[in-house]
Structure formats: C-alpha cells, structure tokens
C-alpha cells in the first residue's frame, strides 16, 4: 500500500503576479511621504524673503513659472505677477476667450498682464482652403500623410460656437477692465496664429500670404472684410473703456468700416458698436489715454469702389487720437493710377495737429513733398524721430536732396531714417528706434545712415546725385569705415573735406553751404482753408498754421502745449 506523503506547508512567499494589485489611490498614498512640517520651517529656500523670491522669478523662463508656483503658497504668490510676463494671447482656434475669463477672476495673476494680443481670425476661408489645395503634396509629406490635421485647425477656426465667442464684445467688456496694468493692445490679422513655422498649418498660411491673388490677381489681401469690421469694432470699443491702455497696434484696420451702410446691406450683422468709432468729439475724449498708435489700413480690393469720403473719415478717426506721442501709419495704396480714397485721406490728414507728436513713421501714402512738408513743419516743435518708409513720399517738383535739406534746415530731428531697399544698405533702426546691427565686422556705413548724418547736420551731402538712380544711391566716397560714425562734425569735414573724392562711377559734385535762397520755398506750405472740415474735431483752429507773412518769413507759430506734462511719458517710450 502506497505511503501518502504529508502535505507541504504553505509558503509565506507570494508568487510573482498572483498578488492583488493595489489601487492607484493606495499606491499614490504609499509613494507620497507625509510632509515634514518641521523641516519646512527650517528650509532656507522656502523661507527666503518675498522680495528675493520676486527677483528669482524674474530670471526664470516663463515656462517654468507654473512649476515654481507649486512649491508653496508664498512661491505661488511670488510667481503670480510673472505668469503672463510675455503677454496674453487670444487665438481663434483655441478656447482662449474662456481662458481670459478665468484669468481675470484671479487678481494676483491678472495684474501681471501688461500686453494682450488678439488674433482676429478674420482670414477668408476660401483663400485658406485654396492655399492648402495648392500645397497639398507638400503638406501630406509634412504631416506623414495625415492632411486631416491641417483641416482640423481650419475647422477649429471656423467652428460656429468658437466664431461666435471669439472677441465677443460682451466678454471683453467684462474682462479688459479687470486687467489693471494692461498697457498695450494689439489686433493681429495677417500673421499666422501658430508660432511654429515648421507646423504644416503655418506652411499653408505662408503659401496663402505669398499667393493669395493666385486665382484673383486684383485681390489686395486674404481677409474677410465682414469679419474684420466686426472684430475690430468689438475690440476697440471695449478698449476705449480701459484708460490704462496707452498703446494700440492695429495690424489691418479695414477701411470698409467707413463704407456707407447701404453698401453693406445683409453683409454685416446688426451691431450697435459699428457706429462707436465714427469720428466725434465724444470719441476724441474716449481715446485721450492713447499715446502710441500703430495703424495699417487695408481695403477689400475689387469690386468695391473706394471714394474720397471714406479716406476723409479714416483721417478724421486718426485725428481723434489727440494725445499721441508716437504715430506709425501705413496705407496700402491701390494699384490704380489714382487712388481717390488716398486723396481724400491726405486732404484731411495733413491738416491735423498732434500737440505732443514726438515720433512719426509713414509708409505707403506716396505723398508729395508739399503735403508731407506742410505736416512735418507744423510739428517741428515736438517732432524728433522721423521715418519715411517705402512709398512714404514721392517728390514731384523737387529732388530728394532738396527735401532732406529742408528737414536739416527747418527741423530739429534727433533720429531720421529714409527707406532704402535691402540691397542698398537696409534699415538702421527697428520699430522701437533701437539701432539695427547687421553684417557685424564688415564696417560699412549704410546709405540710410549717411542720409541721416546729412539731415542731422553732421556731414555734407554724401551722394553723387541729388536723387537715387535705378539701382540705388551712388556715394561720393566709399564710406567703408564704420569708425566715421564716431567722429564729430568738424572732424568729418577735416577728414572728408567739402569736395569728397568719388569712386569713379558718378559725377563729382561739390557741396556748398546752404544760404537763404536754398531754403524751403515757403509758398509750398501755404494752403487754402477747407470749408468741409470740422476744425474743432481735428484739434486745431482755422488759421493756426500761421499767416502767409509768417510762412514767407520761415517762422511758424508755436503750438500750444505743456511739454512738461508729457516729458515723463516721452522718456518711457523712447528711453
């Protein structure tokens, strides 16, 4: 009879994989040790003075701010003002309007927002779809065959619910006043709302920018004017209620805003705010807190007709910004031989006085030297920085040397830049009037810098001709040594002389001292009163520009202003 072995005792060792797994909550509790409150009391990092914590946060990248705020309550308070140190962005393909609404409910974070940028989301859907179609093969390669990722972003932008909420006036009316330190507001229409240029959607956007007139050669841009008018009017009317905002940057203000209402029947949704930006004394009061204005104006192209009255209203709107210190204005001139809208704008704009105007940038207006000169000399008491951009001025009766000589003799400019194509030397200042450094080590003075030295009265006329040639300016000398910029006026004259050597390509010209006969012909400055203008609205009195006798004498009446009141603001803007 077989012997039955006694049963083995059960092992106390648990076999792998047979134990019952703990719940995630239990595992988390085991993995998270209990905070040692006693050690926290002696932790030097946690107990740093609040002032030192704020300084540490200032040196951190913005992306690290959320992490440091999780350390402790005191660190959370230190990081709150810097949470949106780089500004707050509202994009059309995301729920950023809801995010803005949540942020303003936290005052410690809201007070740190000084800059806000709205991507208007006013792109024309057909233009965007056509661009994606033209780049279909490239986009398929960039997305690994998943072109649906690009179309998903398009659908997000034009989602009905999101379109209805994006830049909604009622939400902005609640949110913007709760940003107590908001100083700069920008509306962006032309740039892609995604920052990553390698993103397939950005590739499609770049194609749209380059070839938006591929199927319609008369199109002037790729925006939907109906949406543009709605978004710009909602944002601006809300911004007018925030007196802490000082700077406005309007990327593509739609001049169709000033089109007669009957021409937009059934095209623009009924909105009481569409009349809020119509020029009036009340609007001038609402805009009195704006000291820095950058505005680019665009039209819808064909088949719309732009008449002088629309340009007139556009200029009247700009005349309502009476307290601006800095003005950067660009206009997209029509391809037609005569842009009637531009003519109406210039007839009105060049009669406006800005009592505190310190910096002026002007592009695209294609103004005559007479119109522009009248405006500049009317502001000679305050104007110190001047940039004449591409198509900013086209002399008709006189040469560029004459125009720049007038600026030298009649203005008191401190910085000056005349547009010079990139192949001829490029920019010398950025949009903030900071010096642009390019091609380090080459030691070549740019053409624009030489012209500035002449306008500032620091050197004789540096060019071989009085106007640029087809290929650009031709200098009297090589001007390769950048060290020339460190020399004073007398040193330059001693070094270069009144008759500089040419490089053999141009005529040798001698520069003569200016006398009274070379001064600006003051008859060009005189103009008749415009009966159709509301002088009180534009901010000056009839005849304030001086009598004909005053003009012929070369003297202008001083404009009434209290410079001391604005000295501090000027220093902040142009330090």
């Amino acid at each position: 009879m077989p012997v039955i072995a006694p049963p083995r005792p059960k092992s106390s060792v648990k076999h792998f994989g047979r134990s019952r797994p703990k719940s995630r909550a239990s595992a988390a509790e085991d993995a998270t040790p209990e905070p040692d409150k006693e050690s926290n009391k002696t932790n030097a990092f946690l107990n740093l003075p609040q002032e030192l914590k704020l300084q540490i946060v200032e040196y951190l990248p913005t992306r690290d701010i959320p992490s440091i705020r999780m350390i402790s309550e005191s660190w959370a308070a230190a990081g709150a003002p810097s949470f949106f140190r780089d500004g707050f962005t509202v994009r059309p393909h995301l729920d950023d309007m809801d995010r803005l609404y949540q942020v303003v409910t936290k005052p410690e974070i809201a007070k740190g927002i000084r800059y806000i940028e709205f991507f208007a989301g006013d792109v024309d859907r057909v233009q965007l779809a056509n661009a994606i179609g033209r780049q279909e093969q490239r986009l398929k390669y960039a997305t690994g065959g998943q072109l649906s990722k690009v179309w998903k972003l398009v659908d997000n932008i034009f989602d009905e619910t999101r379109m209805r909420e994006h830049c909604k006036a009622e939400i902005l009316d609640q949110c913007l006043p709760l940003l107590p330190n908001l100083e700069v507001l920008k509306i962006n229409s032309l740039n892609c709302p995604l920052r990553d240029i390698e993103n397939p959607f950005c590739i499609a956007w770049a194609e749209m920018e380059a070839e938006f007139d591929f199927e319609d050669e008369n199109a002037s841009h790729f925006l939907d004017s109906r949406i543009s008018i709605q978004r710009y009017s909602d944002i601006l009317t809300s911004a007018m209620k925030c007196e802490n905002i000082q700077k406005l940057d309007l990327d593509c203000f739609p001049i169709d805003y000033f089109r007669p209402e009957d021409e937009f029947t059934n095209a623009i949704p009924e909105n009481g705010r569409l009349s809020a930006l119509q020029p009036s004394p009340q609007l001038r009061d609402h805009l009195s807190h704006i000291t820095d204005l950058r505005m680019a104006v665009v039209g819808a192209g064909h088949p719309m007709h732009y008449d002088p009255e629309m340009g007139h209203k556009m200029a009247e709107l700009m005349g309502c910004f009476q307290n601006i210190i800095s003005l950067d204005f660009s206009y997209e001139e029509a391809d037609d031989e005569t842009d009637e809208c531009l003519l109406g704008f210039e007839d009105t704009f060049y009669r406006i006085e800005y009592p505190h105007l310190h910096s002026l940038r002007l592009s695209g207006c294609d103004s005559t030297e007479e119109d522009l000169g009248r405006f500049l000399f009317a502001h000679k008491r305050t104007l110190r920085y001047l940039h004449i951009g591409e198509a900013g001025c086209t002399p008709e009766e006189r040469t560029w040397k004459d125009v720049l000589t007038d600026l030298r003799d009649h203005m008191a400019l401190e910085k000056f830049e005349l547009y010079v194509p990139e192949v001829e030397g490029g920019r010398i200042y950025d949009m903030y009037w900071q010096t642009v450094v390019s091609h380090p080590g080459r030691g070549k003075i740019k053409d624009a810098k030489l012209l500035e030295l002449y306008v500032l009265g620091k050197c004789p006329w540096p060019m071989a001709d009085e106007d640029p040639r087809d290929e650009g300016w031709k200098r009297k000398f090589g001007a390769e040594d950048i060290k020339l910029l460190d020399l004073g006026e007398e040193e330059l004259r001693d070094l270069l002389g009144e008759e500089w050597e040419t490089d053999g390509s141009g005529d040798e010209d001698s520069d003569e001292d200016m006398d009274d006969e070379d001064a600006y012909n003051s008859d060009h400055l005189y103009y008749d009163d415009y009966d159709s203008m509301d002088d009180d609205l534009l901010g000056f009195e009839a005849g304030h520009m001086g009598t004909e006798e005053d003009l012929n004498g070369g003297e202008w009446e001083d404009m009434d202003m209290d410079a001391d009141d604005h000295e501090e603001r000027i220093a902040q803007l142009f330090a």
Side-chain angles (χ1 to χ4, degrees):
M1 185 174 178
V3 179
I4 300 177
R8 296 180 179 180
K10 293 184 178 181
S11 172
S12 60
V13 179
K14 295 182 179 180
H15 297 284
F16 175 77
R18 293 184 180 181
S19 60
R20 183 178 179 181
K22 292 184 177 182
S23 66
R24 291 185 178 181
S26 300
E29 291 177 1
D30 293 342
T32 304
E34 288 292 328
D36 188 351
K37 296 182 179 180
E38 293 299 324
S39 63
N40 284 348
K41 293 180 180 179
T42 59
N43 189 309
F45 183 74
L46 294 178
N47 293 291
L48 289 173
Q50 193 70 5
E51 295 79 5
L52 190 55
K53 291 179 180 178
L54 291 172
Q55 293 183 27
I56 293 174
V57 170
E58 286 297 319
Y59 284 96
L60 289 176
T62 307
R63 64 177 180 272
D64 293 336
I65 303 288
S67 298
I68 202 169
R69 294 188 72 242
M70 298 178 66
I71 295 177
S72 67
E73 291 183 2
S74 61
W75 276 105
S82 298
F83 203 87
F84 292 103
R85 182 173 57 207
D86 297 333
F88 191 97
T89 304
V90 180
R91 296 153 293 187
H93 61 288
L94 300 174
D95 296 323
D96 284 337
M97 290 296 292
D98 291 338
R99 190 166 64 107
L100 176 62
Y101 189 82
Q102 294 298 321
V103 166
V104 298
T105 61
K106 300 175 173 58
E108 69 279 6
I109 295 179
K111 68 181 182 180
I113 299 179
R114 300 179 180 275
Y115 170 90
I116 188 168
E117 179 176 10
F118 293 92
F119 282 88
D122 48 357
V123 61
D124 186 281
R125 186 167 190 168
V126 175
Q127 293 276 14
L128 183 56
N130 290 342
I132 295 174
R134 292 194 296 269
Q135 290 287 321
E136 183 174 359
Q137 293 301 320
R138 182 184 178 188
L139 295 176
K140 282 183 178 179
Y141 177 80
T143 60
Q146 300 181 33
L147 192 59
S148 59
K149 293 181 178 179
V150 178
W151 287 112
K152 182 179 179 180
L153 279 170
V154 176
D155 293 338
N156 287 344
I157 292 176
F158 295 98
D159 175 78
E160 290 186 7
T161 302
R162 189 175 282 110
M163 281 281 289
R164 190 165 51 249
E165 296 295 319
H166 187 62
C167 301
K168 188 175 181 180
E170 289 76 12
I171 299 177
L172 295 179
D173 285 345
Q174 298 180 49
C175 293
L176 293 186
L178 297 178
L179 302 176
N181 296 319
L182 181 62
E183 297 176 353
V184 183
L185 186 147
K186 179 176 182 178
I187 307 178
N188 201 327
S189 293
L190 293 183
N191 295 329
C192 180
L194 275 68
R195 300 297 191 183
D196 183 7
I197 60 175
E198 301 298 329
N199 186 289
F201 182 81
C202 294
I203 296 175
W205 191 283
E207 163 65 18
M208 179 178 62
E209 285 187 291
E211 303 290 344
F212 64 84
D213 55 352
F214 183 82
E215 298 177 0
D216 186 354
E217 61 181 12
N218 293 320
S220 62
H221 57 73
F222 49 82
L223 305 177
D224 186 325
S225 294
R226 179 185 61 85
I227 300 178
S228 295
I229 294 172
Q230 188 77 36
R231 297 281 163 79
Y232 276 76
S233 60
D234 284 350
I235 297 174
L236 289 178
T237 50
S238 295
M240 288 191 302
K241 303 173 183 178
C242 303
E243 295 186 357
N244 48 299
I245 296 178
Q246 299 178 15
K247 302 180 183 181
L248 281 181
D249 189 340
L250 310 180
D251 182 51
C252 279
F253 189 90
I255 201 169
D256 288 290
Y257 183 92
F258 299 105
R259 185 174 296 282
E261 295 182 5
D262 56 347
E263 297 186 24
F264 271 116
T265 303
N266 299 325
I268 304 295
E270 185 176 351
N271 184 352
R273 292 178 173 241
L274 292 180
S275 61
L277 295 180
Q278 295 298 328
S280 66
Q282 292 75 20
L283 179 62
R284 185 171 61 179
D285 293 338
H286 291 321
L287 298 175
S288 61
H289 54 91
I290 304 299
T291 59
D292 190 329
L293 175 64
R294 179 182 177 272
M295 178 182 291
V297 176
V298 299
H302 88 295
M304 297 290 191
H305 174 69
Y306 294 86
D307 57 29
E309 183 61 23
M310 293 177 63
H312 170 79
K313 290 182 178 180
M314 181 73 240
E316 283 189 328
L317 171 63
M318 296 186 63
C320 291
F321 293 89
Q322 273 293 287
N323 289 330
I324 57 173
I325 297 172
S326 175
L327 174 61
D328 185 339
F329 179 79
S330 62
Y331 180 94
E332 182 181 347
E333 185 179 12
D335 295 332
D336 302 339
E337 292 184 2
T338 302
D339 188 334
E340 295 184 2
C341 182
L342 177 59
L343 294 178
F345 173 83
E346 292 182 332
D347 284 345
T348 305
F349 176 74
Y350 286 127
R351 299 184 60 228
I352 298 173
E353 278 190 24
Y354 296 108
H356 318 294
L357 186 63
H358 186 272
S359 170
L360 174 65
R361 292 178 175 274
L362 203 61
S363 304
C365 294
D366 203 19
S367 307
T368 66
E369 71 275 24
E370 178 183 351
D371 291 337
L372 181 59
R374 179 172 64 238
F375 181 82
L376 295 178
F377 297 154
H379 294 84
K380 69 175 184 177
R381 179 176 177 181
T382 60
L383 188 63
R384 295 296 177 264
Y385 298 167
L386 173 62
H387 169 86
I388 302 178
E390 184 176 8
C393 177
T394 303
E396 295 181 349
E397 303 295 334
R398 314 173 76 219
T399 66
W400 266 114
K401 180 182 178 181
D402 295 331
V403 174
L404 299 187
T405 301
D406 293 337
L407 295 178
R408 183 190 69 180
D409 295 344
H410 294 275
M411 303 292 291
L413 297 177
E414 298 173 1
K415 291 185 179 182
F416 171 77
E417 184 177 39
L418 178 67
Y419 170 79
V420 176
E422 216 40 58
V423 294
E424 300 176 13
R427 300 286 300 275
I428 58 175
Y429 295 113
D430 62 15
M431 63 182 299
Y432 304 106
W433 289 105
Q434 299 299 313
T435 301
V436 174
V437 179
S438 59
H439 306 302
R442 295 190 181 182
K444 182 177 181 180
I445 302 177
K446 298 179 180 181
D447 290 344
K449 188 63 181 181
L450 288 173
L451 296 173
E452 182 194 37
L453 291 174
Y454 176 74
V455 169
L456 301 186
K458 295 183 178 181
C459 74
W461 177 248
M463 303 303 178
D465 304 303
E466 296 187 354
D467 282 313
R469 305 176 185 181
D470 292 339
E471 65 276 11
W473 288 101
K474 194 64 180 177
R475 306 177 180 186
K476 285 184 176 180
F477 69 106
E480 295 296 325
D481 192 354
I482 200 68
K483 293 181 180 179
L484 290 176
L485 299 182
D486 297 328
L487 302 180
E489 179 181 356
E490 294 185 1
E491 293 174 307
L492 278 172
R493 293 184 181 276
D494 291 341
L495 177 65
L496 303 175
E498 293 294 343
E499 296 185 3
W500 298 349
E501 294 182 359
T502 68
D503 57 7
S505 301
D507 298 333
E508 294 190 7
D509 294 340
S510 60
D511 197 75
E512 301 179 356
D513 293 337
M514 289 290 296
D515 54 29
D516 294 338
E517 294 181 358
D518 294 326
Y520 189 86
N521 183 358
S522 58
D523 290 339
H524 290 170
L525 305 182
Y526 182 73
Y527 61 95
D528 296 329
D529 291 335
Y530 292 79
D531 295 334
S532 61
M533 290 294 299
D534 185 348
D535 291 331
D536 180 65
L537 173 62
L538 296 181
F540 59 88
E541 300 176 357
H544 184 71
M545 297 293 290
T547 63
E548 185 172 6
E549 179 181 356
D550 293 333
L551 298 178
N552 288 333
E555 297 294 334
W556 291 82
E557 293 185 11
D558 292 338
M559 290 177 290
D560 296 331
M561 64 165 289
D562 187 357
D564 295 336
D565 293 341
H566 294 267
E567 182 177 353
E568 182 178 352
R569 300 165 88 178
I570 291 175
Q572 293 175 351
L573 284 172
F574 303 103

